[in-house]
C-alpha cells in the first residue's frame, strides 16, 4: 500500500482573497481548488496538460492547474473563472455568449482564462495571436472560430456583445442567448463531477489491462483489512438484478462488472468504494489475478473462421447484418457508360468530449435511488439502472448534470449502474469520475469500417447501380452496433437517386472497445466510399464534380433506397446551387495557385450527404409539458437533454412562438426523470425535429386552452402577467384572473401537452419501408493545400450549405455545423484510436486552434412540415460531408485517392512516393 | 509514507538528493501525466518528491565567461521572452511551439532534457548550439555536452545524487544565425514527428565558418549531421545552402515507425526539413529571418 506525504499548510491569494488551507503537497492545484476549496469552475479534462480545461492564472500567466503541485501554489496569486470584477474577464463572458463561443461549456473556463491572460498582455491581438494564446485549450464543440470571433470582438476594446431579444412571435429564427449560457461563462454550471454531496464515498472501477483475459478476484476481506479507508469492493456478486446493460433491451449483455472473463481492455471487473484517498492510493495488484488470452483483433480477425466466438449466441462473431435492395442490379446495365469501384477503410474514432464520464448516486429511501450523471439519455439510463437493480423503472430517478460533450459517447451507461448499486448497498451517496485514460480506454468509439462499393452511371452521368458491402468492427459488446448496421445500408448510396441498389452491412464482434454511437452512426464512413465513387464517375465522364452531384441529387418526388417517396424538404440541389459560385472560384484559385512550381499543391473537394432524423423505423416519441401557475409563471418541462447543442434554448423559442408570448417568459425545468416527461435521447439528430415538434404542440395546446376559456379566435393576442392572462381578439378584450381558476394536482391553472412520434414504418426483408420521417441534406466544399514533401494538408477554407428545414436559432445551428466540421477534419486527417496506445489526448490528436479553416455557412430552408416551424436536425449532418470534401481536395491537388482514414501525413506521403511524377 | 521536500537552497536540495532516491519536480509537465497514466491502471506509485521550484539559484538567463547560462528553472516562456542574440532564434522558435502557452509557462528546458524523450524539442536546438549541461552534486560540479548527457532512449548520465543546475551555451559572433523547424500532424499541442535545428556562424567575407545542424525525433536522441556541417563550411552564406544537402549526410539517423509516422517517412521528412531550414536562413531570405 502506498501513502501520500503528510499534509502541509499552503497560503495563497485566490481571486483577490487570501486563502490558507491544508493540502497534500503533491496533489494537483486543480484538485485542491475543486475538491478542497469547492471552486468547481476550473475543469479537469485530462490531468496531463493536454486539454487546457483546467487553465487558471498563476501570478498572471496561464497554466494548467493539473500540472501544478499544491505545494507550489504557496505564496502565489491565483485567478480562476470564478473571479469577479476583472473587467477583461467580464467582457469576455459577454463576448463568448454573443458569439456562441460556449457550447457544452466544459472548455469555457479554460478558454476564458487563457483569453484573459492574452488580453491583459495584449489589448489588440490579431486572430493568429489569439489562436497562439488559446492554442493550449482544446474544444470539441465549436470548431474554435466562434471563440476567436469572441476574443477578436474585444480586441481594440469594442464590439457589439448584445444578444437578440426578439418580439413576441419572432423567437424562432432569432439569435436568442443560450438559456444555460450565463452559467457556462461564469463557472457556475454544474457538470458531472461538480455537484456530489460533500459526504459522498468515492468509487473507482478497476479495469482490465488486457483485451481478453480470465481473472480471479482474491480475498476481498483481506484486502479491506489492509485498506481501512475502503468500505467495500463491488463485484458482479453485488448486482441485485441483471448484470448487464445495452442499448437494446434484448441485448443487455455488457456486464456492469465482468464475471471471470473480460472481453476488452478497460472492462471493469470490480470497484473500490470509500474515502477518496483510500481508493485513489490503493494498490490493486494483489487483488486480481489475470490470465491473458489471445484476443480477436480487427474485422478480419473477427470473421476468420478459426476465430473463437466472443459470445455463444453469435458463433461467427457477426452480431447483425443489414440489407437494402431496390430495383435490380443488372436490369439497366446496357446503359452503363462508367463504373467505379473501391475498397475503403476507417479506424476507431474517439469522441474526446472534454468532460470524462462522472456522476453520483444518492439513496432516496425505500430502495429508491437518484443518479445524477453526465448523460445524453436520462430515460434510457433509468431503464438500464432499473434492470441492473432488479427494480421497476419508477424506483430510479435520473438527473442529468450539465453534459460536457457527448457526441454519442454518453448514450451508454459507463458509470450510472455501478453508482446505483453502490449507493444502495452502502446506503450512502457515492460519486465517481473517470480519468481521461480510463474514459478513453473504456468508452465506446466510432466503428472502424471496411467498405467495398461499386457505382455505375450512364453517359449523361445519371446513376444506374450502387452496390456496397460495409463491415464494421463493433467491439466486444453490441452497444449501438445494430443501429450502425441498420443505418448504413439505408444511407450508403448517398443523397442521390439510384434505380438499382444493393447495400449490405455487418457488425463484427471483436476484443476491442465496444463501438457505439458517434455523430452519424456509420454514415460518415459510408459517405467516404460513396463520395469517392462519385468523383471517380465524374472523372471518367469528364463531368464537373459538383454538377454530377446536382444531376443525381435526390429531390421531392423521388424514391429513396428504401422505396420511400420524398414528398418535400429535400434540399440537396438547393445546397449545391448555393455553393456553385464558391466552387468555381475555388477551382480557379487552385488552378492559378498550381501554375507556380512549388512543392505545395492546391485542390478543391466536395462532399454531399443525407441523414434520416430520429430512430431507424422505430418509435421514438417525445413529450413536452408546458404549465401556467396561479402567479402567471409559464414553465416548460423539458426532458430533451442539452449536451451543448442548445435544446434548452430552442425549446423555449419554439414554445414561446407556439403559445404567443415573449421567449423571456418561458421558465424551464430540465431533464429530471421524476419531473419532466420522456423526451427520448439526445441522438440521431432528433431533438430539434422530434422534441421540438412536441414543444410546438405543447405550446399550441396551451394556447388553445387559453383561447377556449376566453372564447377568443385563433389569431387573438395573449399576454401573461402577474396573476392574469389578457386576451385581445380584435376589439374584444378579456382578462383571465388566474387565482379564480381551479388548480390541478400540480398546482397549475393551465397545462399544455405535446407528443410527437415521427411517422415511420418497418423495413421489410429487402429493406423497403419508411425508416425516417425526414432527412437533413448538405453539401460542403473544401479548399486545401497538400505539401508534397511532407504529405501534410493545410485546409484553407470550407463552405458548407445545409438544408435545415428552418433555422430556429442561427447561432446554435452555425455552432453545430462548425463543430461538426471540426470533428470531420479530425476524422479525415488525424484521429485514429488504437486501444492500449492512444488512450490520452497527446497521442490521440484532435483538431486544435489553427487546424480548422475559415468556415462559411449557407443555410437552406426547405421546410419540413412534420418539424417545428419547418425545422429538422443538424447535429450529425454537419460532420458527414467533411471527410469526403477534404479527401476530394487532396485528390484534386495531388491525384492521390484516399482510401484509408485518417489521411495521416506519412500515408499521403507514401501514396505520393508510389505515384509517378508527383 | 512518501515524502515531499521543498528545499529553499541548492545546498539543502543536494543534501536531500544525496540522502535518498528522489524524483525531481520543477514544472510538473512530465511528472503529473506519468502519474495519471499509472493511476488509470491501478499502479499508483507515490515517489518521494524533491520540488526544486523554490531554488532561486536556478533561475534566470545570464551571460558570464563567454557562456550563456540558462538556469535549470528557466521556463520555455522565460526563454521566448528573454532578450537574446540570434543564436537563440532556434530555441525561441522551439519554445513557442512546445505544448500550449500553459506548458510553456511551466515546463523548463532543463526538464525537457532530463526527460530525454527522443521527441524533446529542446535537444536538437541545444545540440546545434554545442550546449553543455551543468550538473552539481555534493562532490562538485561537472559539465557535460548535451548529446553525452543524454545517454540513450529516455536516459541520462545524471546520477541519483546530482541535479542539473544550468545549461551552458557558448557565445558566438553577433552575426550568427539559427533556425528551427518542427513537423507535426496538427497546429498546436503536438509532439514532433521530426524537427531540425541549425546554427550558422559566418566568417569573413560572408562564408560559413562553422555550421551546426541537428535532427530530432529520428533516433533515440537528437543527431548532429557532421558530414553536412563539414560540407557547409566555407560556402557563401548568400547562396542557397540547401543545395548542399545530400541523403548520405543523414546516414546516422535511425528513425522508428510508430503511430505518428513511419521510419521511412521520418527520414525523408528530416532531409526536406533540413533543406527548408537552410533555404530559409541563407541566400536571399537570410535578411528576412535574421531581422
Amino acid at each position: 500500500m502506498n501513502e501520500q506525504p503528510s499534509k502541509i499548510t499552503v497560503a495563497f491569494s485566490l481571486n483577490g482573497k487570501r486563502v490558507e488551507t491544508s493540502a497534500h503537497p503533491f496533489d494537483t492545484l486543480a484538485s485542491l481548488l475543486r475538491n478542497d476549496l469547492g471552486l468547481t469552475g476550473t475543469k479537469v479534462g485530462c490531468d496531463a496538460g493536454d486539454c487546457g480545461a483546467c487553465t487558471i492564472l498563476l501570478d498572471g500567466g496561464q497554466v494548467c492547474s493539473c500540472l501544478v503541485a499544491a505545494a507550489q501554489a504557496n505564496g502565489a496569486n491565483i485567478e480562476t473563472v470564478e473571479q469577479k470584477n476583472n473587467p477583461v474577464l467580464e467582457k469576455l463572458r459577454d463576448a463568448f455568449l454573443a458569439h456562441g463561443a460556449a457550447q457544452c461549456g466544459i472548455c469555457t473556463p479554460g478558454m476564458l482564462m487563457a483569453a484573459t491572460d492574452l488580453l491583459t498582455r495584449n489589448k489588440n491581438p490579431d486572430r493568429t495571436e489569439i489562436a497562439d494564446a488559446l492554442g493550449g485549450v482544446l474544444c470539441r464543440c465549436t470548431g474554435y472560430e466562434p471563440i476567436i470571433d469572441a476574443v477578436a470582438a474585444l480586441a481594440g476594446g469594442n464590439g457589439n456583445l448584445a444578444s437578440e431579444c426578439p418580439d413576441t412571435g419572432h423567437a424562432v429564427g432569432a439569435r436568442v442567448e443560450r438559456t444555460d449560457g450565463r452559467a457556462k461563462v461564469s463557472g457556475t454550471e454544474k457538470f458531472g463531477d461538480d455537484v456530489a454531496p460533500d459526504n459522498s464515498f468515492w468509487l473507482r472501477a478497476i479495469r482490465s489491462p488486457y483485451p481478453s483475459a480470465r481473472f480471479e478476484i482474491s480475498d476481498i476481506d483481506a484486502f479491506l483489512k489492509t485498506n481501512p479507508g475502503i468500505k467495500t469492493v463491488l463485484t458482479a456478486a453485488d448486482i441485485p438484478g441483471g448484470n448487464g446493460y445495452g442499448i437494446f433491451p434484448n441485448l443487455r449483455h455488457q456486464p456492469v462488472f465482468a464475471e471471470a472473463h473480460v472481453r476488452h481492455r478497460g472492462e471493469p471487473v470490480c470497484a473500490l468504494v470509500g474515502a477518496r484517498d483510500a481508493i485513489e492510493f490503493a494498490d490493486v495488484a494483489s487483488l486480481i489475478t489475470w490470465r491473458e488470452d489471445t484476443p480477436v483483433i480487427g474485422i478480419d480477425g473477427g470473421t476468420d473462421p478459426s476465430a473463437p466466438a466472443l459470445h455463444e449466441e453469435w458463433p461467427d462473431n457477426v452480431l447483425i447484418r443489414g440489407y437494402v435492395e431496390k430495383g435490380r442490379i443488372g436490369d439497366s446495365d446496357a446503359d452503363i457508360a462508367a463504373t467505379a469501384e473501391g475498397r475503403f477503410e476507417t479506424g476507431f474514432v474517439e469522441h474526446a468530449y472534454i468532460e470524462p464520464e462522472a456522476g453520483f448516486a444518492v439513496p432516496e429511501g425505500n430502495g429508491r435511488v437518484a443518479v445524477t450523471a453526465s448523460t445524453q439519455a436520462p430515460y434510457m439510463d433509468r431503464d438500464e439502472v432499473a434492470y441492473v437493480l432488479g427494480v421497476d423503472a419508477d424506483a430510479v430517478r435520473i438527473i442529468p448534470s450539465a453534459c460536457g460533450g457527448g457526441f454519442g459517447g454518453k448514450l451508454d451507461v459507463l458509470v450510472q449502474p455501478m453508482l446505483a448499486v453502490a449507493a444502495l448497498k452502502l446506503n450512502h451517496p457515492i460519486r465517481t469520475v473517470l480519468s481521461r485514460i480510463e474514459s478513453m480506454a473504456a468508452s465506446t468509439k466510432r466503428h472502424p469500417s471496411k467498405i467495398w462499393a461499386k457505382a455505375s452511371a450512364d453517359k449523361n452521368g445519371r446513376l444506374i447501380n450502387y452496390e456496397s458491402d460495409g463491415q464494421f468492427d463493433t467491439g466486444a459488446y453490441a452497444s449501438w452496433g445494430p443501429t450502425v448496421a441498420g443505418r448504413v445500408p439505408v444511407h450508403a448510396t448517398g443523397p442521390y437517386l439510384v434505380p438499382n441498389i444493393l447495400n449490405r452491412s455487418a457488425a463484427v464482434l471483436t476484443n476491442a472497445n465496444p463501438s457505439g454511437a458517434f455523430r452519424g452512426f456509420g454514415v460518415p464512413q459510408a459517405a467516404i466510399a460513396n463520395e469517392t465513387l462519385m468523383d471517380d464517375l465524374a472523372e471518367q465522364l469528364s463531368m464537373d464534380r459538383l454538377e454530377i452531384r446536382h444531376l443525381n441529387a435526390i429531390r421531392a418526388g423521388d424514391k429513396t433506397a428504401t422505396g420511400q417517396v420524398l414528398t418535400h424538404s429535400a434540399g440537396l440541389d438547393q445546397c449545391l446551387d448555393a455553393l456553385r459560385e464558391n466552387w468555381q472560384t475555388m477551382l480557379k484559385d487552385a488552378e492559378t495557385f498550381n501554375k507556380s512550381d512549388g512543392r505545395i499543391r492546391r485542390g478543391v473537394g466536395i462532399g454531399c450527404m443525407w441523414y434520416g432524423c430520429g430512430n431507424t423505423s422505430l418509435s421514438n416519441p417525445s413529450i413536452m409539458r408546458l404549465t401556467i401557475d396561479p402567479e402567471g409563471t409559464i414553465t416548460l418541462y423539458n426532458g430533451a437533454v442539452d449536451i451543448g447543442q442548445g435544446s434548452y434554448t430552442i425549446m423555449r423559442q419554439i414554445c414561446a412562438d407556439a403559445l404567443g408570448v415573449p421567449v423571456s417568459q418561458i421558465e424551464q425545468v430540465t431533464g429530471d426523470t421524476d419531473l419532466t416527461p420522456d423526451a427520448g435521447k439526445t441522438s440521431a439528430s432528433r431533438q430539434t425535429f422530434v422534441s421540438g415538434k412536441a414543444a410546438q404542440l405543447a405550446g399550441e395546446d396551451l394556447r388553445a386552452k387559453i383561447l377556449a376559456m376566453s372564447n377568443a379566435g385563433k389569431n387573438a393576442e395573449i399576454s401573461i402577467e402577474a396573476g392574469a392572462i389578457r386576451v385581445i381578439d380584435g376589439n374584444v378584450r378579456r382578462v383571465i384572473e388566474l387565482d379564480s381558476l381551479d388548480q390541478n394536482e400540480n398546482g397549475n391553472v393551465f397545462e399544455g401537452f405535446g407528443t410527437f412520434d415521427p411517422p415511420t414504418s418497418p423495413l421489410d426483408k429487402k429493406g423497403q419501408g419508411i425508416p425516417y420521417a425526414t432527412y437533413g441534406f448538405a453539401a460542403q466544399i473544401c479548399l486545401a493545400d497538400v505539401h508534397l514533401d511532407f504529405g501534410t494538408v493545410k485546409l484553407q477554407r470550407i463552405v458548407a450549405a445545409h438544408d435545415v428545414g428552418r433555422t430556429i436559432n442561427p447561432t446554435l445551428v452555425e455552432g453545430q455545423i462548425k463543430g461538426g466540421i471540426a470533428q470531420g477534419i479530425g476524422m479525415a486527417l488525424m484521429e485514429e484510436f488504437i486501444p492500449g496506445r492512444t488512450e490520452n489526448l497527446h497521442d490521440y490528436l484532435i483538431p486544435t486552434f489553427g487546424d480548422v479553416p475559415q468556415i462559411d455557412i449557407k443555410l437552406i430552408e426547405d421546410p419540413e412540415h412534420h418539424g417545428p416551424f419547418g425545422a429538422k436536425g443538424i447535429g450529425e449532418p454537419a460532420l458527414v460531408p467533411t471527410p469526403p470534401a477534404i479527401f476530394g481536395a487532396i485528390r484534386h491537388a495531388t491525384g492521390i485517392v484516399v482510401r484509408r482514414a485518417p489521411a495521416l501525413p506519412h500515408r499521403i506521403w507514401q501514396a505520393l512516393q508510389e505515384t509517378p511524377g508527383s | 509514507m512518501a515524502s515531499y521536500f521543498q528545499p529553499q537552497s541548492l545546498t539543502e536540495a543536494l543534501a536531500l538528493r544525496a540522502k535518498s532516491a528522489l524524483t525531481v519536480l520543477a514544472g510538473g509537465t512530465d511528472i503529473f501525466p506519468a502519474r495519471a497514466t499509472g493511476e488509470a491502471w491501478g499502479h499508483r506509485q507515490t515517489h518521494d518528491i524533491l520540488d526544486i521550484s523554490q531554488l532561486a539559484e536556478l533561475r534566470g538567463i545570464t551571460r558570464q565567461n563567454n557562456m550563456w547560462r540558462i538556469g535549470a528553472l528557466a521556463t520555455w516562456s522565460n526563454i521566448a521572452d528573454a532578450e537574446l542574440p540570434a543564436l537563440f532564434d532556434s530555441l525561441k522558435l522551439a519554445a513557442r511551439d512546445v505544448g500550449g502557452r500553459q506548458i510553456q509557462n511551466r515546463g523548463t528546458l532543463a526538464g525537457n532534457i532530463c526527460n530525454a524523450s527522443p521527441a524533446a524539442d529542446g535537444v536538437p536546438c541545444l545540440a546545434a548550439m554545442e550546449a553543455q549541461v551543468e550538473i552539481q552534486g555534493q562532490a562538485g560540479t561537472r559539465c557535460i555536452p548535451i548529446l553525452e548527457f543524454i545517454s540513450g532512449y529516455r536516459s541520462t548520465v545524471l546520477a541519483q545524487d546530482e541535479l542539473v543546475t544550468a545549461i551552458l551555451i557558448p557565445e558566438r559572433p553577433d552575426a550568427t544565425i539559427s533556425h528551427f523547424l518542427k513537423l507535426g500532424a496538427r497546429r498546436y499541442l503536438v509532439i514532433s514527428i521530426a524537427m531540425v535545428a541549425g546554427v550558422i556562424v559566418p566568417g569573413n567575407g560572408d562564408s560559413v565558418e562553422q555550421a551546426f545542424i541537428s535532427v530530432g525525433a529520428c533516433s533515440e536522441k537528437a543527431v548532429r549531421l557532421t558530414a553536412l556541417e563539414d560540407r557547409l563550411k566555407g560556402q557563401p552564406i548568400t547562396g542557397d545552402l540547401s543545395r548542399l544537402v545530400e541523403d548520405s549526410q543523414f546516414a546516422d539517423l535511425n528513425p522508428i515507425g510508430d503511430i505518428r509516422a513511419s521510419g521511412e517517412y521520418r527520414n525523408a521528412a528530416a532531409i526536406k526539413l533540413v533543406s527548408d531550414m537552410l533555404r530559409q536562413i541563407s541566400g536571399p531570405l537570410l535578411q528576412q529571418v535574421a531581422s
Side-chain angles (χ1 to χ4, degrees):
Chain A
M1 179 178 153
N2 288 309
E3 283 189 32
Q4 55 180 327
S6 25
K7 286 194 169 186
I8 58 166
T9 300
V10 290
F12 48 87
S13 165
L14 178 56
N15 297 328
K17 286 189 186 135
R18 190 185 145 80
V19 171
E20 193 173 302
T21 182
S22 81
H24 289 296
F26 195 40
D27 205 356
T28 65
L29 177 56
S31 170
L32 177 68
L33 291 169
R34 292 177 49 81
N35 296 318
D36 299 327
L37 299 173
L39 264 63
T40 56
T42 298
K43 305 304 175 191
V44 173
C46 69
D47 260 327
D50 297 328
C51 77
C54 68
T55 297
I56 58 154
L57 303 188
L58 185 136
D59 295 331
Q62 57 171 308
V63 303
C64 287
S65 56
C66 74
L67 300 181
V68 178
Q72 295 178 326
N74 203 22
N77 177 24
I78 289 165
E79 295 162 86
T80 70
V81 71
E82 287 95 347
Q83 188 184 30
K84 304 258 192 318
N85 308 322
N86 176 338
V88 173
L89 180 55
E90 295 305 330
K91 273 193 195 164
L92 277 166
R93 296 190 216 274
D94 293 340
F96 268 50
L97 284 179
H99 290 272
Q103 282 191 28
C104 84
I106 194 76
C107 74
T108 306
M111 291 290 181
L112 286 168
M113 298 319 288
T116 302
D117 175 40
L118 169 68
L119 291 175
T120 307
R121 286 185 283 116
N122 177 358
K123 299 215 175 338
N124 199 11
D126 63 27
R127 293 178 78 87
T128 304
E129 289 170 322
I130 294 169
D132 283 350
L134 273 61
V137 193
L138 296 177
C139 171
R140 194 58 157 166
C141 295
T142 63
Y144 299 106
E145 202 177 35
I147 298 171
I148 297 182
D149 290 343
V151 181
L154 294 184
N158 289 311
N160 178 15
L161 306 179
S163 296
E164 282 187 57
C165 297
D167 293 339
T168 302
H170 295 90
V172 168
R175 294 182 184 272
V176 172
E177 183 177 297
R178 286 192 75 95
T179 303
D180 46 2
R182 195 53 66 177
K184 291 182 194 296
V185 298
S186 321
T188 56
E189 182 77 301
K190 299 300 181 195
F191 293 88
D193 189 38
D194 295 340
V195 266
D198 285 344
N199 66 339
S200 301
F201 295 148
W202 291 68
L203 177 149
R204 177 180 146 211
I206 306 301
R207 301 175 185 280
S208 170
Y210 305 110
S212 177
R214 283 155 290 162
F215 68 94
E216 281 171 37
I217 297 176
S218 69
D219 187 346
I220 289 177
D221 289 339
F223 178 79
L224 290 174
K225 271 192 197 121
T226 56
N227 289 277
I230 296 178
K231 300 290 173 190
T232 190
V233 176
L234 289 181
T235 68
D238 292 297
I239 307 290
N243 182 19
Y245 60 89
I247 305 309
F248 298 87
N250 62 331
L251 287 172
R252 285 196 166 122
H253 69 159
Q254 184 166 353
V256 179
F257 297 114
E259 297 176 43
H261 178 199
V262 287
R263 295 184 178 85
H264 70 92
R265 178 174 157 93
E267 183 164 356
V269 297
C270 64
L272 314 183
V273 187
R276 180 174 152 237
D277 285 0
I279 61 137
E280 276 188 8
F281 282 82
D283 190 338
V284 296
S286 65
L287 189 60
I288 301 155
T289 317
W290 300 97
R291 275 183 299 162
E292 204 181 340
D293 290 331
T294 307
V296 173
I297 301 292
I299 292 166
D300 292 343
T303 53
D304 187 325
S306 67
L310 264 89
H311 304 270
E312 280 174 13
E313 303 91 307
W314 300 282
D316 59 356
N317 287 326
V318 175
L319 173 74
I320 193 165
R321 293 180 193 276
Y323 187 87
V324 167
E325 184 182 356
K326 175 193 174 192
R328 202 164 66 184
I329 302 285
D331 274 4
S332 325
D333 282 4
D335 297 330
I336 291 176
T339 298
E341 185 176 352
R343 291 185 184 278
F344 303 87
E345 208 175 319
T346 66
F348 282 112
V349 186
E350 155 69 20
H351 302 86
Y353 27 75
I354 303 301
E355 180 208 24
E357 294 77 358
F360 66 96
V362 178
E364 292 198 320
N366 297 325
R368 217 170 177 266
V369 63
V371 182
T372 302
S374 180
T375 181
Q376 298 179 236
Y379 306 93
M380 280 173 56
D381 292 3
R382 181 188 57 186
D383 295 347
E384 301 269 32
V385 170
Y387 175 79
V388 169
L389 295 176
V391 298
D392 291 338
D394 61 10
V396 177
R397 177 181 187 180
I398 303 288
I399 305 167
S401 66
C403 181
F407 319 115
K410 287 177 184 163
L411 291 163
D412 294 62
V413 283
L414 233 48
V415 300
Q416 295 89 325
M418 61 177 81
L419 283 170
V421 169
L424 289 183
K425 180 178 180 188
L426 295 175
N427 194 30
H428 197 88
I430 311 288
R431 67 186 297 183
T432 195
V433 56
L434 268 57
S435 70
R436 168 59 48 190
I437 295 165
E438 266 188 287
S439 170
M440 291 182 75
S443 67
T444 60
K445 304 284 171 277
R446 180 183 296 288
H447 284 68
S449 68
K450 285 192 162 189
I451 297 172
W452 166 85
K454 185 176 175 185
S456 56
D458 69 16
K459 64 181 189 323
N460 299 317
R462 283 202 182 273
L463 290 164
I464 293 174
N465 295 332
Y466 195 88
E467 292 172 85
S468 71
D469 189 353
Q471 293 185 307
F472 293 85
D473 185 343
T474 205
Y477 299 100
S479 182
W480 293 85
T483 307
V484 168
R487 236 179 214 278
V488 167
V490 172
H491 289 86
T493 309
Y496 307 113
L497 176 64
V498 188
N500 308 302
I501 294 170
L502 184 61
N503 290 333
R504 285 166 296 192
S505 67
V508 179
L509 292 156
T510 69
N511 286 119
N513 292 63
S515 296
F518 189 170
R519 212 165 188 167
F521 285 109
V523 178
Q525 294 93 309
I528 290 171
N530 178 241
E531 292 293 301
T532 304
L533 297 192
M534 292 303 287
D535 284 355
D536 286 338
L537 292 175
E539 192 174 280
Q540 288 182 35
L541 296 166
S542 301
M543 289 181 72
D544 179 88
R545 288 171 288 156
L546 182 142
E547 299 305 340
I548 196 173
R549 288 166 167 87
H550 191 271
L551 177 74
N552 287 289
I554 198 160
R555 292 166 166 84
D558 289 341
K559 258 190 196 173
T560 69
T562 68
Q564 175 181 0
V565 177
L566 299 178
T567 56
H568 56 277
S569 197
L572 177 62
D573 57 338
Q574 298 165 59
C575 291
L576 290 166
D577 288 336
L579 292 177
R580 188 173 283 112
E581 200 180 321
N582 293 111
W583 172 253
Q584 287 161 357
T585 308
M586 283 184 179
L587 286 172
K588 280 195 197 105
D589 177 338
E591 195 185 333
T592 309
F593 183 93
N594 291 336
K595 277 181 188 152
S596 68
D597 199 23
R599 297 299 290 162
I600 296 172
R601 283 280 161 271
R602 182 161 287 180
V604 188
I606 182 167
C608 296
M609 76 96 227
W610 68 323
Y611 195 80
C613 298
N615 292 4
T616 311
S617 285
L618 290 173
S619 168
N620 63 133
S622 281
I623 308 169
M624 287 279 169
R625 173 173 168 238
L626 189 63
T627 66
I628 300 178
D629 72 7
E631 282 76 49
T633 305
I634 314 169
T635 304
L636 171 65
Y637 288 81
N638 179 0
V641 176
D642 196 325
I643 60 171
Q645 87 283 26
S647 55
Y648 291 161
T649 307
I650 63 155
M651 299 303 165
R652 290 176 60 235
Q653 291 178 259
I654 291 167
C655 267
D657 280 8
L659 177 58
V661 301
V663 65
S664 56
Q665 273 197 300
I666 309 279
E667 302 292 323
Q668 198 163 229
V669 170
T670 56
D672 174 333
T673 59
D674 270 13
L675 301 176
T676 54
D678 187 349
K681 59 200 170 14
T682 297
S683 80
S685 301
R686 62 176 292 285
Q687 289 297 24
T688 299
F689 175 55
V690 183
S691 296
K693 185 66 178 184
Q696 182 184 8
L697 294 172
E700 289 171 357
D701 183 42
L702 186 56
R703 178 178 173 85
K705 285 170 176 162
I706 293 168
L707 296 182
M709 180 170 285
S710 49
N711 202 21
K714 65 178 185 175
N715 295 323
E717 284 175 33
I718 289 175
S719 66
I720 302 176
E721 46 201 68
I725 301 178
R726 290 175 200 283
V727 181
I728 305 172
D729 187 7
N731 296 327
V732 185
R733 289 162 181 267
R734 292 194 176 80
V735 177
I736 304 172
E737 297 291 348
L738 297 177
D739 61 3
S740 69
L741 302 179
D742 291 340
Q743 296 176 21
N744 69 7
E745 69 278 11
N746 302 314
N748 293 318
V749 292
F750 283 103
E751 293 208 5
F753 286 91
T755 299
F756 180 63
D757 191 4
T760 63
S761 72
L763 299 181
D764 66 15
K765 269 197 326 232
K766 288 191 161 183
Q768 298 295 296
I770 300 176
Y772 312 101
T774 192
Y775 298 80
F777 293 87
Q780 295 177 3
I781 56 175
C782 169
L783 182 71
D785 290 354
V786 183
H787 199 300
L788 300 180
D789 290 342
F790 303 118
T792 45
V793 178
K794 172 79 182 157
L795 303 179
Q796 298 294 335
R797 191 177 173 205
I798 288 175
V799 188
H802 283 259
D803 170 19
V804 297
R806 173 84 189 270
T807 305
I808 306 290
N809 185 322
T811 303
L812 297 176
V813 170
E814 289 159 7
Q816 284 298 291
I817 293 172
K818 289 179 179 178
I821 287 172
Q823 291 183 358
I825 292 168
M827 181 182 173
L829 296 180
M830 63 185 83
E831 297 189 34
E832 186 170 47
F833 178 80
I834 302 166
R837 181 60 187 86
T838 60
E839 293 164 347
N840 58 57
L841 293 175
H842 55 265
D843 287 320
Y844 186 85
L845 303 184
I846 67 171
T848 63
F849 278 96
D851 297 310
V852 183
Q854 178 190 334
I855 296 169
D856 298 299
I857 293 171
K858 296 168 189 289
L859 295 177
I860 306 299
E861 298 188 313
D862 189 347
E864 165 51 56
H865 64 69
H866 287 304
F869 298 97
K872 49 192 183 181
I874 183 62
E876 287 153 297
L879 176 149
V880 181
T882 310
I886 293 171
F887 292 164
I890 294 171
R891 176 180 185 168
H892 185 228
T894 64
I896 300 297
V897 182
V898 178
R899 299 187 191 277
R900 179 178 176 192
L904 296 172
H906 70 101
R907 290 186 187 147
I908 295 180
W909 177 83
Q910 188 63 43
L912 285 165
Q913 304 315 301
E914 291 157 8
T915 306
S918 64
Chain B
M1 181 151 308
S3 303
Y4 187 99
F5 301 105
Q6 198 179 49
Q8 301 298 312
S9 73
L10 181 58
T11 313
E12 196 189 335
L14 291 174
L16 287 163
R17 190 85 165 130
K19 220 185 295 173
S20 62
L22 299 172
T23 300
V24 180
L25 169 70
T29 56
D30 288 312
I31 287 183
F32 283 106
R35 185 175 80 169
T37 303
E39 231 172 87
W41 301 102
H43 312 302
R44 184 161 187 171
Q45 278 138 26
T46 310
H47 298 286
D48 293 328
I49 300 292
L50 180 67
D51 175 353
I52 60 167
S53 64
Q54 305 304 307
L55 305 182
E57 301 97 315
L58 305 191
R59 293 187 196 289
I61 301 170
T62 53
R63 186 177 191 172
Q64 47 187 242
N65 306 330
N66 303 324
M67 294 288 251
W68 287 93
R69 185 175 199 279
I70 300 179
L73 285 174
T75 63
W76 294 108
S77 291
N78 293 154
I79 292 164
D81 295 344
E83 295 243 346
L84 294 167
L87 166 65
F88 285 86
D89 285 356
S90 61
L91 195 58
K92 287 190 169 209
L93 286 168
R96 289 192 187 100
D97 254 355
V98 167
R101 183 78 63 162
Q102 297 89 334
I103 300 297
Q104 295 159 18
N105 284 346
R106 292 292 293 173
T108 62
L109 179 62
N112 189 245
I113 65 169
C114 287
N115 192 47
S117 161
D121 286 333
V123 177
C125 300
L126 294 177
M129 296 164 116
E130 296 206 302
Q132 305 257 326
V133 182
E134 182 192 276
I135 296 172
Q136 289 193 41
Q138 282 188 311
T141 301
R142 56 183 182 138
C143 289
I144 314 241
I146 177 70
L147 293 183
E148 289 171 34
F149 172 78
I150 297 172
S151 50
Y153 177 79
R154 287 189 176 276
S155 67
T156 70
V157 300
L158 189 70
Q160 192 187 294
D161 61 350
E162 294 176 319
L163 284 173
V164 170
T165 47
I167 293 153
L168 307 175
I169 292 161
E171 277 185 6
R172 301 286 180 191
D174 287 348
T176 301
I177 49 176
S178 72
H179 201 19
F180 173 81
L181 291 177
K182 165 171 171 170
L183 180 63
R186 67 177 177 185
R187 174 63 191 89
Y188 296 102
L189 295 172
V190 65
I191 297 169
S192 300
I193 295 173
M195 67 287 202
V196 300
V199 171
I200 305 279
V201 183
N204 294 329
D206 280 343
S207 67
V208 176
E209 183 170 304
Q210 281 181 296
F212 306 93
I213 310 291
S214 63
V215 176
C218 288
S219 306
E220 285 188 334
K221 59 178 175 179
V223 168
R224 283 261 303 272
L225 304 178
T226 48
L228 174 59
E229 292 173 356
D230 290 344
R231 184 75 183 81
L232 291 169
K233 268 179 214 162
Q235 296 293 328
I237 197 169
T238 45
D240 178 3
L241 295 176
S242 71
R243 69 195 155 73
L244 303 171
V245 174
E246 288 165 22
D247 292 3
S248 61
Q249 296 152 350
F250 293 76
D252 288 345
L253 301 191
N254 186 21
I256 57 158
D258 64 6
I259 52 162
R260 285 186 271 277
S262 65
E264 204 188 348
Y265 171 83
R266 280 199 165 91
N267 205 75
I271 295 168
K272 295 292 187 186
L273 283 170
V274 168
S275 301
D276 284 357
M277 177 175 71
L278 289 174
R279 191 175 303 116
Q280 289 175 26
I281 59 170
S282 62
L285 294 174
L286 173 62
Q287 288 310 314
Q288 216 172 312
V289 176
S291 60

